[in-house]
Amino acid sequence: MRIHRFVSSLLLAFLLTSSSVYGKVMPVEFDLGRNRLIAAMLRSQLSAQHFDHKPFDEQMSKEAYKLYISQLDPKKQFLLASDVAQLDQFADRIDDEISNGHISLPDVGMKLLNKRVEKVGALIDEVMAAGFSPNKKDSLQTDPDKLTAPADRAELKDRWRRSLKLEVLDSYLEAVDKENKKREKEEKALLDAESTQIDQGLWAEAMKKVRKKTDAYLERLLKVSRQEHYNRYFDAVARSFDPHTNYMAPTSKEDFDIHMSGSLEGIGALLREDDGHIKVVRIIPGSAAEAQGQLQAEDVIMSVSEKDGEPVDISSMSIREAVSYIRGPKGTEVRLTVTRADGTRLVIPIVRDVVKLEETYVKSTVIKEEKEGKVGYIKIPSFYRDFSAGRLGKEGRNVTDDTRAELHKLKKEGINGLILDLRNNGGGSLSDAVNVSGLFLPGGPMVQVKNSQGVIRVLEDKDQDVVYDGPMIVLINQFAASASEIFAAAMQDYGRALVVGGAHTHGKGTVQALLDMNRNLPLLHLKKYDDLGALKVTIQKFYRVNGSSTQYKGVVPDVVLPSMLDYLETGEQYMDNSLPWDTVEEVAHPLWHGSRFDLKRVQEQSRNYVAHSKRFQKIKEESLKAKKRKKETEVPVYLAGVIKERKELEQARKEAREAGVLADEEDEADEDAVAKEGEKTLDEKLSHDLYVDFAVFLMENSKTVELAADTKK
């Protein structure tokens, strides 16, 4: 195996983010010949270009089929068992379909689904006409993985009956709450939501609202075009290779801008379609969502409304359609109804705004402590770089220069230790991951990059100057990914810094390339069809200098702390078809010979600190409760049961807030607190940060040691 060394600046163009771009005009009419050509291009390009060179075979077919069927009827609320049995015949034949160009599955799936959607419309007529008994005990299984397709019409009808009843109950309780807020202002007697005697007017209103929303949902499903069904089929084939390999259909210029920026104008969140749901991947630094503070990665957006408008159900919508409801004029309020992994449901008000650039850049402050002097703090929101300026021959703003400048400022303040915060940093420029690492080390290899041919290249920092050489702690969490993982891994492998945080980082140790499917077409097909779209393909994999991949496992910190994220199954290890963790040969790297922590002593101190910290113990307790709630997927569908569940969730949140585990802005009822959160200074935000407090404790109480220079092989 050949190993090439080169300076990281040669790879400025690589971006370690999960979004890619493609933007042309969507073809108006379906063209079978065009789709056969797309299938042929998938067949020729995927196996050849993908890092793993997976073959087009029965195993690939089975993986693609699982992805296809899960997006076709994600909640198992339309297709009967007999329909699924009919589709199952294609499970090991997708490779043959793609290879010979005779594609049937998307057409068969579309026809079956549309037929069932129409029949469900008739079922809903019957269910809504019969009405519901709000006090009769029922339950609903909300986890599709625990369900099988309904055996017959009766089972399908009962599933819809339970689902619609729950929606009516939720809508009724929201109406009661809204009415009581109005009565409070008018100093009138309040309605008793827990009374078995329901308010007939509000109940009728809830029934009407749910019916209207459900009809719109069914109508939307029937409008999904034949081409869109083919696009989803092609994407399932691509995602069978790994979760970051996608078929990207031609899109409008608006979609191009969404993908390019990695954010949605108006709120600032990166979203993805996940088994029929719109899920938050990450929050963009400097965005309205970040300033508001409540929206989190892994939240599922169920519905969207204007401030005083009716919520629109966006489940089973494409990203394109969902965004049209989320966007709006700057300064207006959008309300997102989201469900958390533990079942908690929140209505999150966000005032639409543009991304504030200053909030996306590196920031620093000094945490003053009397005992051991000053501790510096640096927050790196992302590994940003202005590539457009570079293409014009100018020196654009970048995270390396900004971090260097902040370090010089902190050194002038006389800091005795540094906390570098990478929490929620989703990645960015690979070259800057290497260059920022070099600010704390005297040069050397920082990361290894392996391509699909097995060739490994070692990215080095050639600058031997060390900007900061004092004690250092790096904070990470499950949402630190890509470039963040490269930096944290380098600091850990060299023994340069103590890495502290949640159980692991995200584990995205791959690079994707965008392949234009309109290039290198056979001469016969050149310009014959409309735009074919693009393929985003995983082509490279990252490895630490110690030879271990950052893929799948991520970076495991030296000190693992309890986190409210512990119950979430987030990261590459929980994604379908993610590439596995593996190793390559280690590269020689000289261990840091300056100040470093005594790891054994620090871990012992940390265990003692956590054991005696009321807040950390409360986090462990609340995380265990959330994990338990997440497993309890069968929910009550009767008035008293729904109210009881709501009260238990609110009580848990109240206790967590009182213990300092949740910030005040997490209380959706206190909109003034939410608004003020975006106005807080960095120092104000850090004053209640449990993890920064812990890092300061270590700086104060853990003696560092000096090691002689050494070389690890």
Side-chain angles (χ1 to χ4, degrees), residues 305-348:
S305 70
E306 297 302 311
K307 184 175 182 179
D308 298 313
E310 290 297 324
V312 176
D313 183 355
I314 66 168
S315 59
S316 295
M317 275 191 189
S318 66
I319 287 284
R320 191 178 306 121
E321 193 174 0
V323 170
S324 69
Y325 290 98
I326 295 172
R327 281 177 163 171
K330 177 182 175 181
T332 58
E333 182 178 287
V334 61
R335 292 180 172 242
L336 309 179
T337 300
V338 307
T339 300
R340 299 244 155 103
D342 67 344
T344 305
R345 179 171 289 201
L346 295 173
V347 177
I348 301 177

Side-chain angles (χ1 to χ4, degrees), residues 686-697:
L686 295 180
S687 65
H688 300 293
D689 193 314
L690 180 58
Y691 300 91
V692 172
D693 289 346
F694 173 77
V696 171
F697 164 80

Side-chain angles (χ1 to χ4, degrees), residues 267-271 278-284 287 289-290 292-301 336 338-342 344 346 348 350 424 477 479 563-568 570 626 653 661-663 665-667:
I267 65 168
L270 182 64
L271 309 179
I278 303 297
K279 183 175 279 190
V280 179
V281 177
R282 64 184 175 91
I283 306 301
I284 306 301
S287 67
E290 184 190 53
Q292 197 272 354
Q294 284 181 276
L295 194 65
Q296 298 176 1
E298 297 296 315
D299 283 352
V300 174
I301 304 177
L336 309 179
V338 307
T339 300
R340 299 244 155 103
D342 67 344
T344 305
L346 295 173
I348 301 177
I350 300 176
N424 302 318
N477 66 3
F479 299 128
S563 164
M564 284 300 293
L565 304 176
D566 287 345
Y567 75 94
L568 290 176
T570 182
R653 292 173 62 76
V661 172
L662 291 181
E665 68 272 14
E666 288 283 315
D667 187 353

Side-chain angles (χ1 to χ4, degrees), residues 20-24 248-252 256 259 514 516 518 531 533-534:
S20 289
V21 302
Y22 198 78
K24 295 189 181 178
M248 305 180 72
T251 57
S252 66
F256 175 84
H259 286 115
L514 196 67
D516 188 343
N518 303 293
D531 191 0

Side-chain angles (χ1 to χ4, degrees), residues 37-49 56 98 535:
L37 183 55
I38 291 172
M41 295 293 286
L42 288 176
R43 178 70 178 84
S44 64
Q45 294 294 317
L46 276 174
S47 290
Q49 301 294 338
F56 260 75
I98 293 288
L535 268 179

